[in-house]
Amino acid sequence: MANYIIEGGKRLEGEVKISGSKNASLPIICASILNGKKTKLYNVPDIHDTQVTLKILRYIGCKVKKDNDKIEIDSRYITKKEIPEDLMHQMRSTVILAGAILGRFKEVTFSYPGGCDIGARPIDLHLKSFKKLGINIAENYGFIRCSCDKIVGTNIDLDFPSVGATENIILASVLAEGKTVITNAAREPEIVDLVNMLKKMGAIISGEGTNIIQIEGVKELKEVKYRIMPDRIETGTFLCAGAITGGKIKVTNCIPEHIVPITSKLEEAGCNILIEKNSIELKAPTRLKAVELKTMPYPGFPTDMQSIFGTVLSVSKGTSVITENIFENRFKYLAELKRMGAKNKQEGNVAIITGVRRLSGTNVKSTDLRGGAAMILAGLNAKGTTTVTNIEYILRGYENIDKKLNKIGANIRIEE
Ligand code: UD1
């Protein structure tokens, strides 16, 4: 099993180019099933999660060609309408494949999805929404079989603005009969990216980016070429890496308006931020300041940045308070940080962090994808050597994080 070894204490300085978004790529790759034709995607990150999704697409019968960040998917010859259990278990967003396969074939069989252990992660909202669209659901021996003669548009009010459920409803409704209206829909930029791709394919959708999305079913979709948006969580991760090392970095190929809650918290912590059209420059102070933050659905502070920001706050002057409102299990990284000398305590969904001057290197584990990135940042700050284990979580979602960090002055390597 591979580990990351980090020699800490290097001030990061330079430019980092942000890759395509993981969370936009996954539903967009799934959406290529819908047209029954060719789809060309650009700026797709080469990470474990996109590789697993493409593996499933090949398994069901799609032809997939990959050339660096370009992917061509031909979904004409799909023969299977079930998702293999072992692949389904490798990541959470495989559940989005259900909406796409259902949308095209009106049947799909899958098992409960896997993914990071950051909370219960039920799929009740997905299944409830499928039922409202007239889809029959039968659960047997851990498998869920969905089928119907036709999908009929309807009104769906989500109990919570779930990103995955909103995407699944959109994918299942673009080829439905009539109109589907989602109220309390998620407003995340990745949903807007998925809708932009579907519209280019010929779908009729409006309201994306707001909490009411309307989908007017169409009979057929066409071939499409689409460029995936930049990853806003990777953008935030590198800015935080700059902040925790007292560095001066510029992230390019990003969309600054997607990460306003992150840049404003970094400013509040004392960083100097310069925003341009597609880039953000950050200059960190000698010592960061404590801040308070609460995770919320978009446009609030993203839960995916909570552990990464919490690590930055572990070396900020004063006491910070973090409230996690989305996933109940996202504080596991706090115990790992304590092993590096951080001072923190958890009370329910609130973390109280008292900043220390600097962390000390030791062996720590990735508790999940973002918790793993948080450990890398801790290692960049720490005195001495940090070994980060369970890095398969990190490889799920970050493209070349070690190479990108070394380019701006870090000392991180993979040890097999
Ligand atoms: C997506 C992102 C993930 C991010 C999350 C919240 C992808 C691949 N993943 O995950 O990185 O952290 O949005 O921004 O895009 N819930 C239910 N029932 C359901 C579905 C969700 O109770 O059927 C709850 C979840 O337990 C959680 C909350 O709703 O408490 C938010 O989950 P959701 O928005 O669905 O997250 P994901 O789509 O899984």
Side-chain angles (χ1 to χ4, degrees), residues 33-34 81 96-110 130 133 135-137 145-148 151 168 171-173 175:
I33 293 172
L34 285 167
K81 285 110 200 179
I96 309 299
L97 278 155
I101 300 177
L102 265 171
R104 168 121 175 251
F105 298 105
K106 320 295 172 236
E107 60 167 302
V108 66
T109 305
F110 60 102
F130 285 165
L133 287 166
I135 298 160
N136 302 311
I137 297 172
R145 180 168 164 71
C146 304
S147 59
C148 60
I151 297 177
N168 240 340
L171 291 167
S173 323
L175 289 169

Side-chain angles (χ1 to χ4, degrees), residues 6-7 10-12 380 402 405-412:
I6 304 154
E7 305 299 338
K10 310 272 186 282
R11 181 175 180 264
L12 300 188
L380 294 173
D402 49 344
L405 283 169
N406 282 335
K407 217 183 126 213
I408 53 172
N411 183 343
I412 169 171

Side-chain angles (χ1 to χ4, degrees), residues 22-24 26-27 49 91-93 96 118-127 160-165 167 186 188 190 232-233 296-298 302-304 325-328 330 369-370 396:
K22 162 173 114 48
N23 287 354
L26 302 174
D49 278 9
M91 55 188 265
R92 161 93 184 166
S93 42
I96 309 299
I118 53 175
R121 309 198 85 170
I123 56 166
D124 56 313
L125 298 176
H126 300 243
L127 299 181
F160 184 88
S162 154
V163 174
E167 291 167 347
E188 269 64 5
E190 292 77 13
R232 66 191 165 104
I233 306 301
M296 303 283 273
Y298 191 84
T303 173
D304 284 351
N325 290 314
I326 313 293
F327 289 109
E328 67 273 19
R330 267 203 155 160
L369 163 59
R370 306 301 171 187
R396 280 190 36 209

Side-chain angles (χ1 to χ4, degrees), residues 5 10 44 48 89 98 190 213 251 258 265 281 316 330 357 378:
I5 312 287
K10 310 272 186 282
V44 182
H48 176 261
H89 283 182
E190 292 77 13
I213 300 178
V251 286
H258 286 171
K265 283 292 159 192
E281 263 183 75
S316 301
R330 267 203 155 160
R357 276 211 163 266

Side-chain angles (χ1 to χ4, degrees), residues 193-237:
D193 213 37
L194 167 67
V195 169
N196 285 341
M197 181 267 194
L198 287 167
K199 281 181 173 174
K200 249 190 129 180
M201 233 190 213
I204 303 176
I205 306 174
S206 60
E208 66 280 8
T210 77
N211 57 8
I212 302 180
I213 300 178
Q214 308 203 26
I215 305 123
E216 190 76 59
V218 295
K219 289 219 159 18
E220 217 189 334
L221 294 163
K222 50 187 191 222
E223 286 194 357
V224 66
K225 289 182 186 171
Y226 193 75
R227 186 174 179 81
I228 312 271
M229 68 175 225
D231 196 304
R232 66 191 165 104
I233 306 301
E234 190 198 13
T235 310
T237 304

